[in-house]
């Protein structure tokens, strides 16, 4: 398990989530997720190629959104194409901690990974 990650072949079952078919891409959507984007790879660029210690390890991927799915409960009244920010309270990660739109909710499991494992250049 590099850097504390592991491959999980049964992601939906393990997370207790429900897969539903996408409309424009092969991977499924997540029924319980209020905002979902279907996307395809539009381009990719190798990063830090000038450093032989990490050349080939990092890639920036450009995505083209092909479909947007929004749960009706988070839409702005009278406008089906806009999210009401008072109805959607996303979970955000900042410095390995999860936040709502206020106080910290809880730490991320990423916080358990020793910082030194991220210092490949030392």
């Amino acid at each position: 398990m590099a850097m504390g990650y592991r491959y999980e072949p049964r992601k939906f079952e393990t997370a207790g989530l429900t897969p539903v078919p996408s409309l424009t891409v092969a991977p499924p959507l997540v029924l319980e997720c209020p905002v979902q984007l279907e996307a395809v790879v539009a381009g990719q660029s190798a990063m830090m190629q000038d450093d032989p210690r990490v050349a080939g390890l990092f890639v920036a991927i450009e995505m083209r959104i092909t479909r947007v799915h929004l749960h009706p409960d988070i839409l702005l009244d009278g406008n089906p194409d806009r999210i009401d920010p008072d109805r959607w309270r996303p979970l955000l990660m900042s410095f390995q901690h999860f936040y709502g739109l206020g106080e910290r909710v809880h730490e991320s499991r990423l916080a358990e990974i020793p910082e030194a494992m991220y210092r490949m250049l030392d």
Side-chain angles (χ1 to χ4, degrees):
M1 289 193 334
M3 298 179 74
Y5 300 102
R6 66 180 166 86
Y7 173 71
E8 177 53 62
R10 299 175 25 156
K11 294 167 181 52
F12 284 92
E13 294 87 355
T14 300
L17 299 172
T18 310
V20 294
S22 297
L23 300 176
T24 65
V25 297
L29 301 171
V30 179
L31 178 66
E32 294 81 3
C33 184
V35 176
Q36 300 183 71
L37 306 175
E38 294 184 34
V40 295
V41 175
Q44 55 186 352
S45 301
M47 299 173 61
M48 301 188 330
Q49 294 300 294
D50 63 333
D51 187 336
R53 296 173 293 176
V54 295
L57 295 179
F58 299 99
V59 177
I61 301 173
E62 176 186 357
M63 305 300 294
R64 179 177 299 112
I65 304 301
T66 57
R67 186 67 54 122
V68 175
H69 301 272
L70 303 172
H71 193 280
D73 289 350
I74 66 168
L75 296 177
L76 191 62
D77 288 334
N79 195 330
D81 295 326
R82 296 205 178 161
I83 294 173
D84 184 335
D86 292 323
R87 292 182 179 168
W88 185 44
R89 310 305 283 178
L91 187 63
L92 310 168
M93 182 185 282
S94 178
F95 294 99
Q96 298 182 345
H97 297 275
F98 286 113
Y99 289 83
L101 295 180
E103 298 297 315
R104 179 172 25 168
V105 177
H106 60 81
E107 284 191 354
S108 161
R109 298 250 354 251
L110 293 174
E112 299 170 5
I113 300 170
E115 291 292 325
M117 292 185 77
Y118 287 103
R119 295 190 190 111
M120 297 174 51
L121 303 178
D122 288 348

